[in-house]
Amino acid sequence: MSRKMCGWSNGGSAALATMVPDAPGLPEQAPRFRAALAFYPGCGLKQRFDNGLKPYAPVRVFMGAADEEVSPRLCTTLVERSRAQG
């Protein structure tokens, strides 16, 4: 069975947080996902990923340039820093 995660808004933030190897609140033996789609996530995540996100599997972030609820600039910065880490 293929496991993929998809989340919108707060669910998008949860998708991002779940894709790191040391995801908070998840036991070490928790099932892992093959990929994640995050739609309009709040990319701040309490400064947890200020240096970027280094997921264990591919992550795709979708956001709106004119979004007034979450910061497109913050998400762009997160994606750029994450890409720089590989």
Side-chain angles (χ1 to χ4, degrees):
M1 174 189 292
S2 177
R3 292 187 186 131
K4 297 175 187 114
M5 170 167 282
C6 178
W8 291 81
S9 191
N10 286 337
S13 299
L16 293 179
T18 302
M19 295 306 290
V20 295
D22 62 342
L26 290 180
E28 271 189 47
Q29 305 300 3
R32 299 294 186 200
F33 297 95
R34 292 181 184 241
L37 301 175
F39 294 89
Y40 304 104
C43 293
L45 297 170
K46 298 184 180 181
Q47 291 78 41
R48 178 168 166 79
F49 300 120
D50 281 354
N51 296 322
L53 173 76
K54 188 142 179 143
Y56 61 83
V59 173
R60 179 75 63 165
V61 176
F62 296 90
M63 59 194 162
D67 196 322
E68 295 179 4
E69 196 66 31
V70 297
S71 170
R73 181 186 52 78
L74 192 58
C75 285
T76 298
T77 299
L78 173 67
V79 170
E80 288 171 352
R81 288 180 179 165
S82 300
R83 284 183 178 160
Q85 292 184 36

